[in-house]
Amino acid sequence: MSEIAQQDSWPNLLEAFVQATSPLPSEWAPIFGPLRRGGCDAMMVVGQLGQTLDGRIATITGHSKYINGPAGLTHLHRLRAVVDAVVVGVGTATADDPRLNVRLVTGQHPARVVIDPKARLDPEALVWSDDGARRLVIVADQTQANTPPGVEVVSLQTNNGQLAPADILKALFDRGLKRILIEGGADTVSRFMQAGCLDRLHVIVAPIIMGSGRPGFSLPAIEHMDQAVRIKMHPHPLEDDEMLFDCDLSAQRVRIV
Ligand SMILES: NC(=O)c1ccc[n+]([C@@H]2O[C@H](COP(=O)([O-])OP(=O)(O)OC[C@H]3O[C@@H](n4cnc5c(N)ncnc54)[C@H](OP(=O)(O)O)[C@@H]3O)[C@@H](O)[C@H]2O)c1
């Protein structure tokens, strides 16, 4: 599949994607078809991580801009353009100060959601910029949010300080947000994966070996290989020698709504 052809026909994909009944252009269907609807309920949740060949998503200091080249970043912006909401943990919102909007392709900005149980994100963070997109913060109940006017505050019950990913998704669904991108970081994506709350996972591997740095996934330790998660996976070559691995996690997805 040629990346140039993809760029030319991107607006066609976007138009067909939102009209749930239209078939997708054939060159886009393998990657974006599975993102139209979830396997087991009315939500669709896709996680993403951009990582090196040796599985790192940031340096030991937390620097990650940018592991991926233009092709990988363009794919990330396309993902943002087809979802209702993009979700990050407060670690990412703090380390990267991302805008989480759609700039590299045409498309609407999704709602931006930060999981910030202790309300520690700086209210001046770029993610809270008022550009017309909805902005939501997820805090632990009993915690006073520290966000600018216009940011919707969602208070959820915790268990030992932890929020259940399924509760987060249900709260988003109740607010009209049904197609969700869990954009990072490693901790947040790993929590959603472990809780069976992802339909798909897009891992975009860059031709880089870091040899140190933060790992992409952090799951409970296992002793034997047969305990490892073996995934149904579809590789898609991108430009710049990058590779998109589209992982199908629908078999382990729990029902949210
Ligand atoms: N390469 C990539 O694709 C990519 C993408 C995004 C980020 N990054 C990099 O990843 C790093 C940040 O990732 P990270 O793993 O450290 O942090 P993170 O996943 O962004 O945020 C983790 C924090 O979010 C809160 N959180 C998330 N889910 C929660 C839940 N279910 N219950 C309770 N709290 C929850 C917790 O906040 P509290 O600590 O306040 O409890 C947790 O410590 C940065 O270096 C960034 O540059 C890379």
Side-chain angles (χ1 to χ4, degrees), residues 165 188-198 218-220 249 252 254:
T188 300
V189 172
S190 299
R191 287 173 191 255
F192 277 78
M193 183 168 164
Q194 197 187 337
C197 283
L198 297 178
S218 173
L219 298 170
L249 301 179
Q252 47 195 279
V254 298

Side-chain angles (χ1 to χ4, degrees), residues 45-59:
V45 191
V46 55
Q48 85 82 41
L49 282 176
Q51 67 171 49
T52 62
L53 270 175
D54 55 337
R56 316 288 179 160
I57 59 129
T59 66

Side-chain angles (χ1 to χ4, degrees), residues 4-253:
I4 289 167
Q6 284 192 23
Q7 294 201 359
D8 286 346
S9 61
W10 170 251
N12 304 344
L13 176 276
L14 210 47
E15 198 184 324
F17 194 91
V18 291
Q19 293 165 6
T21 49
S22 320
L24 297 185
S26 57
E27 70 271 33
W28 295 97
I31 297 176
F32 285 88
L35 303 183
R36 287 181 114 177
R37 57 189 67 85
C40 68
D41 59 22
M43 291 199 89
M44 195 294 303
V45 191
V46 55
Q48 85 82 41
L49 282 176
Q51 67 171 49
T52 62
L53 270 175
D54 55 337
R56 316 288 179 160
I57 59 129
T59 66
I60 48 166
T61 62
H63 189 238
S64 68
K65 286 183 179 171
Y66 291 101
I67 287 174
N68 291 114
L73 290 173
T74 299
H75 179 70
L76 175 58
H77 281 239
R78 286 176 179 145
L79 288 179
R80 289 179 185 170
V82 298
V83 295
D84 300 324
V86 53
V87 176
V88 294
V90 62
T92 296
T94 303
D96 297 354
D97 200 15
R99 282 172 280 178
L100 302 182
N101 59 14
V102 179
R103 303 184 299 282
L104 301 183
V105 297
T106 51
Q108 295 204 337
H109 301 323
R112 301 190 284 271
V113 182
V114 180
I115 306 173
D116 186 9
K118 305 183 191 86
R120 59 185 175 90
L121 182 61
D122 183 344
E124 300 289 322
L126 287 178
V127 74
W128 298 143
S129 309
D130 187 359
D131 60 358
R134 283 177 74 181
R135 297 155 291 157
L136 299 91
V137 65
I138 313 280
V139 293
D141 59 350
Q142 319 277 326
T143 301
Q144 183 73 38
N146 177 30
T147 45
V151 176
E152 299 168 54
V153 178
V154 180
S155 297
L156 295 179
Q157 279 200 338
T158 55
N159 185 356
N160 285 332
Q162 308 309 306
L163 297 156
D167 291 349
I168 296 172
L169 293 175
K170 174 72 167 60
L172 297 180
F173 181 85
D174 290 344
R175 288 159 180 79
L177 304 168
K178 300 175 184 166
R179 192 174 295 119
I180 311 292
L181 169 62
I182 309 295
E183 185 167 318
D187 177 60
T188 300
V189 172
S190 299
R191 287 173 191 255
F192 277 78
M193 183 168 164
Q194 197 187 337
C197 283
L198 297 178
D199 291 282
R200 313 294 288 202
L201 175 65
H202 283 194
V203 181
I204 309 162
V205 177
I208 297 173
I209 293 178
M210 220 184 264
S212 64
R214 301 193 180 180
F217 298 95
S218 173
L219 298 170
I222 56 166
E223 290 182 6
H224 298 286
M225 271 314 296
D226 55 10
Q227 297 170 279
V229 192
R230 188 164 286 274
I231 291 171
K232 235 164 77 181
M233 196 191 69
H234 309 275
H236 300 278
L238 304 177
E239 283 191 344
D240 312 323
D241 291 336
E242 297 201 306
M243 184 69 88
L244 164 64
F245 293 97
D246 171 18
C247 308
D248 180 355
L249 301 179
S250 55
Q252 47 195 279
R253 165 81 141 73

